[in-house]
Structure formats: C-alpha cells, structure tokens
Amino acid sequence: MEELRTPFRVTAGRFLRSLRIFSSSEVGGAAKLLMAGLVILFFAINGLNVLNSFVGRNFMTAIADRQVSEFARQAVFYVLVFAGSTAVSVFARFTEERLALLWRGFLTRRVVNLYLTDGAFYRLDVSGKLSHPDQRISEDIRAFTVTTLSFLLMILNSGLTIVSFSGVLLSINPVLFAVAVFYAAGGSFLTIGLGRRLIKLNYDQLDKEASFRAGLLQVRENAEQIMLTGNGPQLKSFLASRLDDLIANFRVITSVNRNVGFSTTGYNWLIQIIPALIVAPAFFRGDIEFGVITQSAAAFAMLVGAFSLIINQFTSISNFAAVVARLSTLSEAIENSQQQAGSEIRIDQSGEGLSYEKLTIRPEPGGSPLLRELTVTIPPRARVLVSCLREEQGSALFRATAGVTYSGSGGILRPAGDGIRFLPQQSYLPPSTLRQVIVPPTASEEILDERISMLLAEFGLERISRAEGFQQEVEWHTFLTQREQHLLMLASVCAAKPRVVLLERTEVVVGWDTLFRIITRFTNDGIACVHIGSAASISAYDAILDLGDNGAWQWRKAA
C-alpha cells in the first residue's frame, strides 16, 4: 500500500516535531509536570519491586526453615511492600491517563484547526486521495496519544527493570542472566517473523471498519430519501459487501494472531520453569537457601518481561504502527493541500468590492469555457442579477469567486474574510447558538438580543427566538426547514453587513417576493448583492450580467 511506504525518517520526524510542539504549547508546562511525576513514580515502582523480591526470598526461607517469628516479621514487611506498590501503581496509572488526555485534547484541537483552515477539508474531499479523515482525527489520534504514551512508559519501565534486576540475577547466577538475554532475543525474532503482516492488515482493517460505519451513517442521514426512492435493497447489498470485506480481512488477522499466540504463549509458559531448572541443582547441593529459588524465578520473569517488550506487546505495536502510518498520511495530505498552487485563476482578497478581470472558467483543463474573459466591476450597493444560459455557468462563477479550484485564467478581486458572504442554494448551518449564527465573530460592536429578535421578526422567524434561547446550542438542520435555514443565514448577512453578498438561486428556496424585499434591505444597508438565478421582474435590479453560450457574456443596465 502506497500509504504504508512513508519513509520511517519522515514519520519519525513528524512524531518528534509533534512532541516539541506539545511541550512548548500552553499546556506544555502541565505536561512536563505530569511526566516528571510519572518518572518518579516508575522509579518508586521498580525500587519496591526489587525490595519485594528480597522480602519474598526471606519469607519463603522462613517457611522452609520453620522460623515462626521470622515468618511473622517478613509477612508484615510483605503487606507493607504490597500496600506501597498498590498505591504507587494506582497513582502512576492515574497520572498516565491524565497526561494522555491532555495530549489528545491538544493534538486533536491542532489537527482540527489545520483541517478546517483555508478549505483543507474541501480539497481533501474532492481530491479523493485520503480516506476517512474524520476517523483519523477522532479515533486514530486517541489511539496514537494513549498508545504512544503507554509505549514510552513501558520502555522507561523496562529500562529501569533491566537495570534493577540485572544485578539481582547476576548475584544469584550469571548463567541465568545470560539465558534471560538470549531467550528474550530469540523469542523477539520469532514473533516478528510470524506477525510482521499484522501492520498492513491492521491498517486495512481500520479503513474497512470506517467504510462500513460511513455506509451506516449515510443510511441515517438520508433515511427519508431512501424510503421514498425504494433504494433499500441496493443499500443492503452495499453494506453487506463492506461487511464481507472487513470480516475477510479480520479472518486473516485472527489467523496471524493464532500463529503469534502459539509462539508467545509457549514462550511465557517456559519462563516459569527455566529458573528452577538452572538454580535447583545449587539448592540440592546446599549452596543456596530455598528462598533464592523463588527470588530467582521472580527476578528472571521480571528481566525477561522487560527484554520481551516486542513479544508481549506485538499486537499493540502492529496496531500502533498502522495508526502512526495513517496519521502521518493525514498530516502529509493536509500539508500538501495547503501547499498546492490551486487553480490558475488569481484571487486577490485586498479589494473593497468585487470585480473580475479577464476571468475564464473551464470545467476541466482544455475543456470548452463556461465563461470567457469576464471583465466586470460590481458597483457599491448595486443589485446585480446574473442570468445563465446553463445552470453550471452560474454555479462555476459562484464557486470560483468563493475560492473553489477551477481550470481557467484571469483574476478575481474581492474583500477578505467577513467583507464578502456566500449563500449557496443548498445551505448548511452547523450546530451553534442563535447568537453565533447571527453575530459574526469579528463584529466590532455589541449586538443586543433585542436587535436580534427584531431582525428575526423582520425575516418571519419569530418562532426561533421564542423557542430557543440565544445561548443554547441548536441542531439547526433538524429544528428548521430548509427555507427557514436560508432566511436565518440571510438575516445574519444583515447583521454582519459585508461589502458584497453572492446568492445562488435563492429565489427557488424563499420565493421571488421575499427575495426582492431582502435585496432591497441589502441595498439600504450598503451591501452590494450579486444574485445568480432568475427573477420575476428585472426592475428589481440595477444591472444584468447575461452569461451566454460558449462563454460569452454581456453586462447591461436594467431597464
């Protein structure tokens, strides 16, 4: 898979850069404190583990020698060490989860901001080069932060365990230490050989699961249309195909996991008997106490476990590798979308109004122009009707002005930010409060609730202010009809007072009479209005831009 061929150096570089950005962010100080606390707690855990091995040795020796008073004393020590280990381990887990949550929140906000900046989400969608970015942002970032932190702490803990118990095992039997090292190395190579396919399989599984969920989401979002058109059987077939794909891939994963399981399970069982086989002869000769056997078994298990990080965590590592590859691909796709040169049409956002200079738009490179060398300046406060011979001409002009990439040439001079507003025929209002819909983020003056209520009444939307509070978040697409959503967005234009507003076939949604009244209101507020559509009477407009066949156009004053 092409996405899995991302060079390790690039992926590692992005990972390290992500860590640097996180550590230097506004939450970096809290993250460093949590990490320092984790390091201290892990040192404490390993110290208590070493102490526990000696207490356990003395405890078992007291049992073998029938020393009742020493047995009672060591039992008290055992309880105290267990209590201390429990408390430290619980606090370490709690601190780890808090740090992972802090990292996930920071990284998700950062990626979402990049994804929603400069239309990156749109370019990724139309390019089709990245599958399911929503799942990568939600699920993969969660898995990445939790698993990365877990692995880093496991590596730290394994290193501390190796340092702590190497001395213990060497003091008991150097041969046992050598066996632990070679046993772990052999097991690691065998596990990697058996399970290396899991990385690609897990990568594919994440995409197949996301594809199946996306199909279910389409059913929920288009339930009424599906029922009316009778497309249920086709959707059943579609979802069944997606389900078959993910099941087939998961079958292969379970087969590979079975082979890895034979290796890892047998490997872990042998750990219990190897120390006794090596140390028991010394006990039979009387060279060591009985407790040394139990201590050597515990120390051997701890040391081999530390060396066996790949074996014990191979499934998690393979999942993690797939997640890193997917996030690396997401990061690369967002960066590339921001670096793309875009269309040949120049867009200058330093204008006071809207004008076009020799604008040519083609549906595809080398295709017949939808519009040829349009050179027009929209006068301030003007009401302009754009009449199209073909509907796609007006749609292309509307979208090219908004910044959608088209093949063509020429330039567009328009205001930046809230200086220009676009209202497509199929509008969308995200979940938000009524105040957030009406009042633009860059508003220079406070707009009182009373003024918003008056504006809603003017647009026939009194029930909105009566039914919903100004600060209550609303799912507008379920609460309002399409016409009401359109009127609410038009009301927000009056509140924002941009220099220019472009409307796309608004008459189809709200009707000509309502549109004429709204356009007049825009003129009174000093807003130039470009309406791409049709009109019952051209007398409502100051000028007409006719788009004819073969890209021809004509600008004329309204009669």
Side-chain angles (χ1 to χ4, degrees), residues 322-349:
V323 166
V324 170
R326 286 165 60 83
L327 286 180
S328 180
T329 305
L330 173 65
S331 176
E332 183 179 5
I334 292 176
E335 290 175 1
N336 289 341
S337 73
Q338 293 172 339
Q339 295 170 0
Q340 286 174 353
S343 75
E344 301 160 333
I345 299 172
R346 304 182 311 276
I347 297 182
D348 185 347
Q349 301 189 58

Side-chain angles (χ1 to χ4, degrees), residues 188-207:
S188 298
F189 281 116
L190 180 60
T191 302
I192 292 173
L194 291 173
R196 60 187 177 185
R197 294 176 59 198
L198 281 175
I199 296 176
K200 182 181 183 302
L201 289 169
N202 284 323
Y203 187 106
D204 291 342
Q205 189 67 22
L206 290 171
D207 265 346

Side-chain angles (χ1 to χ4, degrees), residues 49-117:
N49 285 338
V50 173
L51 179 61
N52 184 56
S53 73
F54 283 97
V55 173
R57 182 186 72 179
N58 296 334
F59 181 77
M60 297 304 295
T61 299
I63 293 175
D65 295 344
R66 297 181 175 83
Q67 298 176 352
V68 177
S69 60
E70 181 65 15
F71 168 78
R73 192 164 70 92
Q74 294 300 325
V76 172
F77 289 156
Y78 233 150
V79 172
L80 292 176
V81 172
F82 281 153
S85 297
T86 300
V88 172
S89 297
V90 169
F91 276 110
R93 180 62 180 169
F94 171 77
T95 307
E96 178 184 344
E97 289 176 344
R98 283 298 177 88
L99 181 55
L101 184 62
L102 187 68
W103 192 9
R104 180 192 178 185
F106 167 79
L107 189 58
T108 302
R109 289 189 185 94
R110 176 176 170 78
V111 173
V112 168
N113 287 337
L114 291 173
Y115 183 62
L116 295 177
T117 298

Side-chain angles (χ1 to χ4, degrees), residues 142-465:
R142 178 192 59 79
F144 172 75
T145 53
V146 172
T147 311
T148 297
L149 186 58
S150 178
F151 282 158
L152 289 175
L153 294 177
M154 278 192 288
I155 292 171
L156 171 64
N157 189 48
S158 296
L160 293 174
T161 300
I162 290 170
V163 172
S164 302
F165 283 93
S166 291
V168 175
L169 213 55
L170 284 170
S171 67
I172 296 172
N173 192 320
V175 174
L176 191 59
F177 173 78
V179 169
V181 174
F182 284 106
Y183 185 71
S188 298
F189 281 116
L190 180 60
T191 302
I192 292 173
L194 291 173
R196 60 187 177 185
R197 294 176 59 198
L198 281 175
I199 296 176
K200 182 181 183 302
L201 289 169
N202 284 323
Y203 187 106
D204 291 342
Q205 189 67 22
L206 290 171
D207 265 346
K208 293 178 186 300
E209 296 279 0
S211 178
F212 182 64
R213 283 196 300 271
L216 293 173
L217 185 61
Q218 289 180 34
V219 174
R220 190 187 74 180
E221 291 180 341
N222 302 284
E224 182 177 338
Q225 292 89 332
I226 293 169
M227 183 188 69
L228 293 175
T229 56
N231 287 328
Q234 293 93 318
L235 274 170
K236 284 182 183 178
S237 176
F238 169 79
L239 291 173
S241 173
R242 294 295 184 271
L243 183 61
D244 290 342
D245 283 347
L246 71 87
I247 289 176
N249 192 74
F250 198 73
R251 283 183 184 276
V252 181
I253 291 176
T254 57
S255 297
V256 177
N257 281 335
R258 176 200 59 203
N259 297 336
V260 173
F262 279 126
S263 172
T264 56
T265 303
Y267 175 91
N268 289 324
W269 278 114
L270 283 175
I271 291 175
Q272 303 178 47
I273 194 173
I274 289 175
L277 293 175
I278 297 175
V279 178
F283 173 73
F284 296 147
R285 294 193 303 267
D287 296 339
I288 58 174
E289 302 170 334
F290 177 74
V292 175
I293 296 179
T294 58
Q295 184 187 26
S296 66
F300 184 85
M302 294 291 288
L303 190 62
V304 171
F307 279 125
S308 306
L309 182 62
I310 293 178
I311 298 172
N312 296 329
Q313 301 294 328
F314 188 81
T315 300
S316 298
I317 291 172
S318 63
N319 281 321
F320 176 66
V323 166
V324 170
R326 286 165 60 83
L327 286 180
S328 180
T329 305
L330 173 65
S331 176
E332 183 179 5
I334 292 176
E335 290 175 1
N336 289 341
S337 73
Q338 293 172 339
Q339 295 170 0
Q340 286 174 353
S343 75
E344 301 160 333
I345 299 172
R346 304 182 311 276
I347 297 182
D348 185 347
Q349 301 189 58
S350 62
E352 291 293 322
L354 176 63
S355 62
Y356 302 97
E357 181 181 357
K358 295 184 178 180
L359 176 64
T360 297
I361 302 176
R362 295 184 177 86
E364 57 186 19
S368 177
L370 294 172
L371 188 60
R372 190 190 302 273
E373 294 193 345
L374 173 65
T375 303
V376 164
T377 297
I378 306 299
R381 306 168 63 99
R383 297 167 295 180
V384 178
L385 173 66
V386 179
S387 175
C388 313
L389 183 65
R390 292 181 292 165
E391 186 172 323
E392 61 266 28
Q393 291 176 306
S395 176
L397 178 62
F398 182 88
R399 283 155 178 74
T401 307
V404 174
T405 300
Y406 275 94
S407 176
S409 60
I412 301 172
L413 179 66
R414 65 178 180 85
D418 290 333
I420 186 169
R421 296 285 291 269
F422 299 88
L423 186 58
Q425 181 177 352
Q426 296 295 324
S427 57
Y428 170 72
L429 278 172
S432 54
T433 67
L434 183 56
R435 174 168 286 276
Q436 287 173 333
V437 174
I438 296 294
V439 182
T442 57
S444 58
E445 60 177 310
E446 177 67 20
I447 299 180
L448 301 177
D449 291 349
E450 292 77 8
R451 182 182 168 193
I452 295 177
S453 296
M454 292 174 60
L455 192 60
L456 293 175
E458 181 183 345
F459 281 78
L461 299 171
E462 299 92 334
R463 79 176 185 92
I464 299 178
S465 56

Side-chain angles (χ1 to χ4, degrees), residues 221 427-431 474-482 485:
E221 291 180 341
S427 57
Y428 170 72
L429 278 172
V474 180
E475 296 274 355
W476 297 110
H477 69 282
T478 60
F479 180 69
L480 300 179
T481 65
Q482 183 65 31
Q485 290 183 62

